[in-house]
Structures are given as C-alpha cells and as structure tokens.
Amino acid sequence: MKKLNITKIRADFPLLHQQVHNHPLVYLDNSNTTQKPQSVIQAMNDYYEHDNANIHRSVYNLSERATQLFENARDKIKHFINAKHRHEIVFVKGTTEGINLVADCLSRCHINAGDEIVISAMEHHSNIVPWQFVCEKTGAHLKVIPVSENGELDLQKFTDLLNEKTRIVAITHASNVLGTINPIEKIIEIAHEKNIPVLLDGAQAVAHLPVDVQKLDCDFYIFSAHKMYGPTGTGVVYGKEKWLHAMPPYQGGGSMIQQVTFPKTTYADLPYKFEAGTSNMAGVIGLGAAVDYIQHLGMENIVSHEQDLLAYATRQLQKIPGLRIIGTAPEKIGVISFILEGIHPHDVGTALDTYGVAVRVGHHCAMPLMERFGVPATIRASFGVYNTEEEIDVLVESLLKVQALFK
Ligand code: C6P
C-alpha cells in the first residue's frame, strides 16, 4: 500500500479548481456523482474527434476502430471486477436501468405469483421500485430485512425471511445514506445455501471497495460509471452467464437480434442480446478510462485514504454540539449522514453552499430509510479520492457558522 499524493490527484480534476460564492469549492457529494479526471474527459474527446462511428454494424475502418475501443472497455471492466467471461458484462445507462433490466427479465422467466423477493430497508429507490413493479406484474411479494439502530442489517431476520418461495435477494453492497458496508459474503453464502440468487447494487461500492465477482460468487453486480469518476449515462450489469442465458432480452431493436422474420425473431449471443439500439459509445470508452484511472491509483490506496477521511470526519463532526450521525456501523464507506438539532437539513445545505461547500441534503432516494430513522431528510457528506482533511475542516467550520446563524 502506498500513500496517495492528493495534491497531484486534485490536479487531475479540472472542475475542482474553482471558487463558489468567493470560496474555494469543497465538493463533498461524491455519492451523488464524482468529478471526472482529465484522462476520462480526454478519452471521450479523442473518441469524438478521431474515432466516432456506430459500432458493430459497419466494415469501414472508422467503425472498426470505434468497435475496438468499445470492446476494449468491456475487457477493462471484466478485469476490474474479475468476471469470468467478457460476455457477462452488459452495458446499460446506469444502476437504475441495470436493476430494472434484471428485475424485468427475471419477472418473465423466474418469478411467479406467490413468490417472494427479499430486499432491505436501506435500499435506494432504484432497488425497491423495480421489484414493486415485478410484484404488481407477477403477484409476488416483497420482504424487507430490517436495519438496526446503528445502520446494520439484521442477519438473523434475513435468514428467517428466506424460504422455498424466495426467488431473489437484492441488496446494496454499501448504503448511500448510512455508509454501511453490508456483509455481502455472508448474505450470499446464506442465500446460496438455499439456492437463491443474489443481486448486489454496487453503485456506492465499486469506486470505494475492491470487487471480485467470482470470489463473491454473486449472481448480479450492478453499477454506474458516473459514481466512479466516469461519465453519466453509462453503467454495467454483471450477470453470471447462466442467468444471462436464462433471461429473455430486456428491449427489442437493432443489435440484439440474430435473425428477424415476421413470425419469429432469434436473439444475438451474449452480451449483445441485452444491448439493443445504439450504445453510448463515448460513455463506455470514458468508463474504460475511469477504470484505468482507478487502477493507476490502486484500489487499496484509495480505500486507505478514504477510510482515513471517514475516521477524521467522524471525529471532527462528533465534536459539534447537537449533531447526530445517522449510520454508525463499524464497517463504512466514506459517507456520513447527519442532522443538526433545530435546523432543517435543507437550510443547512443552502447555508453551506454560501461557503462553497457542496453536500447533499434530502431523503437521498431512500424514503423508507428516512422513515426508519424518524427523520424527513439528512445532510450527507460523501468523500472521493481527491478530498482532504482540510476540506473536512472547512465543512466543520462552516457548520459551526451555520449553527451560529440559526441560533
Ligand atoms: N444515488 C445519491 O446521491 P443511478 O442514478 O442509476 O446512477 O444510481 C442510482 C442508485 C442506485 N443505488 C444506490 C445505492 C445509489 O446510491 C444510487 C444513486 C445517488 O445517493 C443519487 S439518488
């Protein structure tokens, strides 16, 4: 492990070097979306300037180059999450589309009336609503693993929820609100003992924790490029080959077919069966560059830096009177949700902005979790590899000023 040079890393991100309301920008909303290093911006620019053509469809040189760049990105993702096969990597718009894809496809081949789907009380709406659609469509039922006061899943209750009717467990790897890193190895082991597949929502984990899908043995792992220093509009569904083979296509259109006749259509091989229409070529190439960037820094170095930030920020924030942290599990990513006694989170967020501090306030697309903790909203600081202890000091000083203002 090596100590990262954060000053050097910050120089890679052009956006970070700006003033907001006459203060240096302190960007602490990385769970929402991360900023992009120059190498990612450059890869996408280069693509448009030199290699843009539609992929998989033409024989001319430009199209072949574009196809090559796109497929190279698939190989990068395969290695990044250690998938067994490159055709287990499906490109989608993002985590939301990815979970919708799996839910919808499974609803047409694997889930029937009376079946059960297990999720948890800390899921993002993207890992709740698609399963509600499935329940409405098939007559299946949603079961929810409760969350303890410190923000952990109750594994005993989880085990008790599983039975012969359970068709899938869909859980977030790490919570976007609490920061909790779930014990996914254990969850997968327990579910697999009963032959139940497990889908992991990796949106908050993939840029902050090492992910090895073969070692985990998860059935699906889904994530968005824009939360891992890549562009918006791109994401990945990793699915085990056997599931991708078993599932029908999600959307119909160009690229996903083998042969179309009016009586019958046959489908393309994996992964193209799930990639209907023109793909987001520049986005996927940008994602490939983001993977290169993360690997160049080294995931274990990133984890170490972000864990230091988390520990420092937790210590400093706890010193603020009337501040309550929501989510105090022992294993967390660099996400801290909190409330300030007597001040609405939205007022805190707006006031912090006047000091150049960007945090997210609101329900974070996890309304059931807000209800669980009896709060309408929280203030959330979430860290990326370019954040510093000095920025956390600015957050803390600004919060003290906000408190004084609202007294
Ligand atoms: N969470 C946040 O501020 P998309 O929008 O498809 O890229 O990602 C959706 C999503 C799915 N799962 C989890 C755990 C997430 O955190 C998110 C996105 C952002 O927390 C925006 S609501």
Short mmCIF file of all heavy atoms in Angstrom, two decimals, residues 105-142:
data_model
loop_
_atom_site.label_atom_id
_atom_site.label_comp_id
_atom_site.label_asym_id
_atom_site.label_seq_id
_atom_site.Cartn_x
_atom_site.Cartn_y
_atom_site.Cartn_z
N CYS A 105 -36.48 -8.80 -16.59
CA CYS A 105 -36.18 -10.07 -17.26
C CYS A 105 -36.50 -11.25 -16.35
O CYS A 105 -37.07 -12.25 -16.81
CB CYS A 105 -34.72 -10.11 -17.71
SG CYS A 105 -34.35 -8.90 -18.98
N LEU A 106 -36.17 -11.14 -15.07
CA LEU A 106 -36.46 -12.25 -14.16
C LEU A 106 -37.97 -12.43 -13.99
O LEU A 106 -38.45 -13.55 -13.79
CB LEU A 106 -35.80 -12.04 -12.80
CG LEU A 106 -34.27 -12.19 -12.77
CD1 LEU A 106 -33.74 -11.97 -11.34
CD2 LEU A 106 -33.82 -13.56 -13.28
N SER A 107 -38.70 -11.31 -14.07
CA SER A 107 -40.16 -11.41 -13.89
C SER A 107 -40.78 -12.20 -15.03
O SER A 107 -41.91 -12.66 -14.94
CB SER A 107 -40.79 -10.01 -13.84
OG SER A 107 -40.88 -9.46 -15.14
N ARG A 108 -40.02 -12.35 -16.12
CA ARG A 108 -40.57 -13.06 -17.29
C ARG A 108 -40.06 -14.49 -17.39
O ARG A 108 -40.40 -15.20 -18.32
CB ARG A 108 -40.24 -12.27 -18.56
CG ARG A 108 -41.11 -11.00 -18.65
CD ARG A 108 -40.41 -9.88 -19.40
NE ARG A 108 -40.04 -10.25 -20.74
CZ ARG A 108 -38.97 -9.79 -21.39
NH1 ARG A 108 -38.16 -8.92 -20.79
NH2 ARG A 108 -38.71 -10.18 -22.59
N CYS A 109 -39.20 -14.91 -16.44
CA CYS A 109 -38.68 -16.28 -16.56
C CYS A 109 -38.46 -16.96 -15.21
O CYS A 109 -38.18 -18.15 -15.16
CB CYS A 109 -37.37 -16.28 -17.35
SG CYS A 109 -36.01 -15.50 -16.48
N HIS A 110 -38.60 -16.24 -14.12
CA HIS A 110 -38.12 -16.82 -12.87
C HIS A 110 -39.05 -16.53 -11.68
O HIS A 110 -38.96 -17.21 -10.65
CB HIS A 110 -36.71 -16.25 -12.61
CG HIS A 110 -36.05 -16.69 -11.36
ND1 HIS A 110 -35.62 -17.99 -11.14
CD2 HIS A 110 -35.74 -16.00 -10.22
CE1 HIS A 110 -35.07 -18.07 -9.95
NE2 HIS A 110 -35.13 -16.88 -9.36
N ILE A 111 -39.88 -15.50 -11.81
CA ILE A 111 -40.69 -15.08 -10.65
C ILE A 111 -42.17 -15.21 -10.99
O ILE A 111 -42.61 -14.73 -12.05
CB ILE A 111 -40.34 -13.62 -10.24
CG1 ILE A 111 -38.85 -13.52 -9.89
CG2 ILE A 111 -41.21 -13.16 -9.07
CD1 ILE A 111 -38.33 -12.12 -9.67
N ASN A 112 -42.91 -15.85 -10.09
CA ASN A 112 -44.33 -16.11 -10.35
C ASN A 112 -45.17 -15.69 -9.15
O ASN A 112 -44.63 -15.31 -8.11
CB ASN A 112 -44.53 -17.61 -10.63
CG ASN A 112 -43.81 -18.04 -11.90
OD1 ASN A 112 -44.10 -17.56 -12.99
ND2 ASN A 112 -42.83 -18.92 -11.74
N ALA A 113 -46.48 -15.78 -9.33
CA ALA A 113 -47.42 -15.41 -8.26
C ALA A 113 -47.10 -16.20 -6.99
O ALA A 113 -46.80 -17.40 -7.05
CB ALA A 113 -48.85 -15.71 -8.70
N GLY A 114 -47.11 -15.50 -5.86
CA GLY A 114 -46.86 -16.17 -4.57
C GLY A 114 -45.39 -16.24 -4.20
O GLY A 114 -45.03 -16.53 -3.06
N ASP A 115 -44.50 -15.97 -5.17
CA ASP A 115 -43.05 -15.99 -4.87
C ASP A 115 -42.69 -14.77 -4.02
O ASP A 115 -43.47 -13.84 -3.88
CB ASP A 115 -42.23 -15.94 -6.18
CG ASP A 115 -42.26 -17.27 -6.92
OD1 ASP A 115 -42.64 -18.28 -6.30
OD2 ASP A 115 -41.89 -17.28 -8.11
N GLU A 116 -41.46 -14.81 -3.48
CA GLU A 116 -41.03 -13.70 -2.62
C GLU A 116 -39.69 -13.13 -3.09
O GLU A 116 -38.82 -13.86 -3.58
CB GLU A 116 -40.93 -14.18 -1.17
CG GLU A 116 -42.31 -14.52 -0.62
CD GLU A 116 -42.31 -15.03 0.82
OE1 GLU A 116 -41.22 -15.16 1.42
OE2 GLU A 116 -43.41 -15.32 1.32
N ILE A 117 -39.58 -11.81 -2.92
CA ILE A 117 -38.35 -11.10 -3.30
C ILE A 117 -37.86 -10.42 -2.02
O ILE A 117 -38.63 -9.72 -1.35
CB ILE A 117 -38.68 -10.03 -4.37
CG1 ILE A 117 -39.15 -10.71 -5.65
CG2 ILE A 117 -37.50 -9.10 -4.61
CD1 ILE A 117 -39.92 -9.80 -6.60
N VAL A 118 -36.60 -10.63 -1.67
CA VAL A 118 -36.08 -10.07 -0.42
C VAL A 118 -35.15 -8.89 -0.73
O VAL A 118 -34.18 -9.04 -1.49
CB VAL A 118 -35.33 -11.15 0.40
CG1 VAL A 118 -34.62 -10.52 1.59
CG2 VAL A 118 -36.31 -12.22 0.88
N ILE A 119 -35.50 -7.75 -0.17
CA ILE A 119 -34.62 -6.57 -0.26
C ILE A 119 -34.35 -6.10 1.17
O ILE A 119 -34.70 -6.80 2.13
CB ILE A 119 -35.25 -5.44 -1.13
CG1 ILE A 119 -36.56 -4.96 -0.51
CG2 ILE A 119 -35.47 -5.90 -2.55
CD1 ILE A 119 -37.10 -3.68 -1.15
N SER A 120 -33.75 -4.93 1.35
CA SER A 120 -33.51 -4.47 2.72
C SER A 120 -34.09 -3.07 2.90
O SER A 120 -34.41 -2.38 1.93
CB SER A 120 -32.01 -4.45 3.05
OG SER A 120 -31.45 -3.21 2.66
N ALA A 121 -34.18 -2.66 4.15
CA ALA A 121 -34.76 -1.34 4.47
C ALA A 121 -33.79 -0.21 4.15
O ALA A 121 -34.16 0.96 4.27
CB ALA A 121 -35.14 -1.30 5.95
N MET A 122 -32.57 -0.54 3.74
CA MET A 122 -31.63 0.55 3.40
C MET A 122 -31.44 0.69 1.89
O MET A 122 -30.48 1.30 1.44
CB MET A 122 -30.29 0.36 4.10
CG MET A 122 -29.50 -0.83 3.63
SD MET A 122 -27.80 -0.79 4.23
CE MET A 122 -27.97 -1.41 5.90
N GLU A 123 -32.38 0.15 1.11
CA GLU A 123 -32.19 0.23 -0.35
C GLU A 123 -32.53 1.62 -0.89
O GLU A 123 -33.41 2.31 -0.39
CB GLU A 123 -33.05 -0.83 -1.06
CG GLU A 123 -32.70 -2.26 -0.70
CD GLU A 123 -31.22 -2.56 -0.80
OE1 GLU A 123 -30.59 -2.22 -1.82
OE2 GLU A 123 -30.67 -3.13 0.18
N HIS A 124 -31.82 1.97 -1.95
CA HIS A 124 -32.14 3.13 -2.77
C HIS A 124 -33.43 2.80 -3.52
O HIS A 124 -33.70 1.64 -3.81
CB HIS A 124 -30.97 3.34 -3.74
CG HIS A 124 -31.05 4.55 -4.60
ND1 HIS A 124 -31.79 4.59 -5.75
CD2 HIS A 124 -30.46 5.76 -4.48
CE1 HIS A 124 -31.65 5.78 -6.32
NE2 HIS A 124 -30.85 6.51 -5.57
N HIS A 125 -34.19 3.83 -3.89
CA HIS A 125 -35.45 3.58 -4.62
C HIS A 125 -35.21 2.73 -5.87
O HIS A 125 -36.09 1.98 -6.28
CB HIS A 125 -36.10 4.91 -5.02
CG HIS A 125 -36.51 5.74 -3.83
ND1 HIS A 125 -36.81 7.07 -3.91
CD2 HIS A 125 -36.66 5.41 -2.51
CE1 HIS A 125 -37.12 7.54 -2.70
NE2 HIS A 125 -37.02 6.55 -1.84
N SER A 126 -34.02 2.82 -6.44
CA SER A 126 -33.71 2.02 -7.64
C SER A 126 -33.68 0.53 -7.36
O SER A 126 -33.73 -0.28 -8.30
CB SER A 126 -32.34 2.40 -8.20
OG SER A 126 -32.36 3.70 -8.69
N ASN A 127 -33.54 0.17 -6.11
CA ASN A 127 -33.56 -1.26 -5.76
C ASN A 127 -34.81 -1.59 -4.94
O ASN A 127 -34.83 -2.59 -4.21
CB ASN A 127 -32.28 -1.65 -5.01
CG ASN A 127 -32.01 -3.16 -5.07
OD1 ASN A 127 -32.45 -3.84 -6.00
ND2 ASN A 127 -31.33 -3.67 -4.06
N ILE A 128 -35.81 -0.74 -5.04
CA ILE A 128 -37.12 -1.01 -4.42
C ILE A 128 -38.19 -1.03 -5.50
O ILE A 128 -38.88 -2.04 -5.72
CB ILE A 128 -37.48 0.07 -3.36
CG1 ILE A 128 -36.42 0.15 -2.27
CG2 ILE A 128 -38.86 -0.22 -2.76
CD1 ILE A 128 -36.64 1.30 -1.25
N VAL A 129 -38.28 0.10 -6.22
CA VAL A 129 -39.41 0.29 -7.14
C VAL A 129 -39.44 -0.76 -8.27
O VAL A 129 -40.50 -1.30 -8.57
CB VAL A 129 -39.44 1.74 -7.68
CG1 VAL A 129 -40.68 1.97 -8.54
CG2 VAL A 129 -39.41 2.74 -6.53
N PRO A 130 -38.29 -1.11 -8.88
CA PRO A 130 -38.35 -2.14 -9.93
C PRO A 130 -38.93 -3.46 -9.41
O PRO A 130 -39.63 -4.16 -10.14
CB PRO A 130 -36.89 -2.32 -10.36
CG PRO A 130 -36.23 -1.03 -10.00
CD PRO A 130 -36.91 -0.55 -8.75
N TRP A 131 -38.64 -3.76 -8.15
CA TRP A 131 -39.16 -5.03 -7.57
C TRP A 131 -40.63 -4.89 -7.25
O TRP A 131 -41.39 -5.87 -7.31
CB TRP A 131 -38.35 -5.43 -6.33
CG TRP A 131 -36.90 -5.62 -6.68
CD1 TRP A 131 -35.85 -4.84 -6.30
CD2 TRP A 131 -36.34 -6.64 -7.54
NE1 TRP A 131 -34.68 -5.29 -6.86
CE2 TRP A 131 -34.95 -6.40 -7.62
CE3 TRP A 131 -36.88 -7.71 -8.25
CZ2 TRP A 131 -34.11 -7.21 -8.38
CZ3 TRP A 131 -36.03 -8.51 -9.01
CH2 TRP A 131 -34.67 -8.26 -9.07
N GLN A 132 -41.07 -3.66 -6.93
CA GLN A 132 -42.52 -3.45 -6.75
C GLN A 132 -43.24 -3.65 -8.08
O GLN A 132 -44.32 -4.23 -8.12
CB GLN A 132 -42.77 -2.04 -6.19
CG GLN A 132 -42.33 -1.89 -4.75
CD GLN A 132 -42.47 -0.46 -4.23
OE1 GLN A 132 -42.32 0.50 -4.97
NE2 GLN A 132 -42.75 -0.33 -2.94
N PHE A 133 -42.62 -3.19 -9.16
CA PHE A 133 -43.21 -3.43 -10.50
C PHE A 133 -43.36 -4.94 -10.72
O PHE A 133 -44.38 -5.41 -11.20
CB PHE A 133 -42.29 -2.91 -11.62
CG PHE A 133 -42.19 -1.41 -11.75
CD1 PHE A 133 -41.25 -0.85 -12.61
CD2 PHE A 133 -43.04 -0.55 -11.06
CE1 PHE A 133 -41.15 0.53 -12.77
CE2 PHE A 133 -42.94 0.83 -11.21
CZ PHE A 133 -41.99 1.36 -12.06
N VAL A 134 -42.31 -5.68 -10.35
CA VAL A 134 -42.34 -7.13 -10.56
C VAL A 134 -43.48 -7.76 -9.74
O VAL A 134 -44.22 -8.62 -10.23
CB VAL A 134 -40.98 -7.78 -10.16
CG1 VAL A 134 -41.05 -9.30 -10.20
CG2 VAL A 134 -39.87 -7.28 -11.08
N CYS A 135 -43.63 -7.28 -8.50
CA CYS A 135 -44.69 -7.82 -7.64
C CYS A 135 -46.07 -7.52 -8.26
O CYS A 135 -46.93 -8.40 -8.30
CB CYS A 135 -44.60 -7.22 -6.24
SG CYS A 135 -43.16 -7.81 -5.35
N GLU A 136 -46.24 -6.29 -8.75
CA GLU A 136 -47.54 -5.93 -9.36
C GLU A 136 -47.82 -6.81 -10.57
O GLU A 136 -48.94 -7.26 -10.79
CB GLU A 136 -47.51 -4.47 -9.84
CG GLU A 136 -47.82 -3.45 -8.75
CD GLU A 136 -47.46 -2.04 -9.20
OE1 GLU A 136 -47.52 -1.73 -10.40
OE2 GLU A 136 -47.09 -1.25 -8.30
N LYS A 137 -46.77 -7.06 -11.34
CA LYS A 137 -46.93 -7.80 -12.58
C LYS A 137 -47.17 -9.29 -12.35
O LYS A 137 -47.97 -9.91 -13.04
CB LYS A 137 -45.65 -7.59 -13.40
CG LYS A 137 -45.68 -8.09 -14.81
CD LYS A 137 -44.54 -7.43 -15.60
CE LYS A 137 -43.77 -8.48 -16.37
NZ LYS A 137 -42.53 -7.95 -16.94
N THR A 138 -46.46 -9.84 -11.36
CA THR A 138 -46.48 -11.31 -11.22
C THR A 138 -47.32 -11.80 -10.05
O THR A 138 -47.67 -12.97 -10.00
CB THR A 138 -45.04 -11.85 -10.98
OG1 THR A 138 -44.56 -11.27 -9.74
CG2 THR A 138 -44.10 -11.48 -12.12
N GLY A 139 -47.60 -10.92 -9.09
CA GLY A 139 -48.28 -11.38 -7.87
C GLY A 139 -47.30 -11.91 -6.83
O GLY A 139 -47.68 -12.60 -5.89
N ALA A 140 -46.01 -11.58 -7.01
CA ALA A 140 -45.01 -11.93 -5.99
C ALA A 140 -45.09 -10.92 -4.83
O ALA A 140 -45.79 -9.91 -4.93
CB ALA A 140 -43.62 -11.91 -6.61
N HIS A 141 -44.40 -11.22 -3.73
CA HIS A 141 -44.44 -10.33 -2.55
C HIS A 141 -43.03 -9.86 -2.19
O HIS A 141 -42.07 -10.62 -2.29
CB HIS A 141 -45.04 -11.07 -1.35
CG HIS A 141 -46.38 -11.65 -1.65
ND1 HIS A 141 -47.51 -10.88 -1.81
CD2 HIS A 141 -46.76 -12.93 -1.87
CE1 HIS A 141 -48.53 -11.65 -2.10
NE2 HIS A 141 -48.11 -12.91 -2.15
N LEU A 142 -42.98 -8.61 -1.70
CA LEU A 142 -41.70 -8.02 -1.29
C LEU A 142 -41.50 -8.24 0.20
O LEU A 142 -42.40 -7.98 0.99
CB LEU A 142 -41.78 -6.52 -1.60
CG LEU A 142 -40.49 -5.76 -1.83
CD1 LEU A 142 -39.71 -6.36 -2.98
CD2 LEU A 142 -40.82 -4.29 -2.14
#
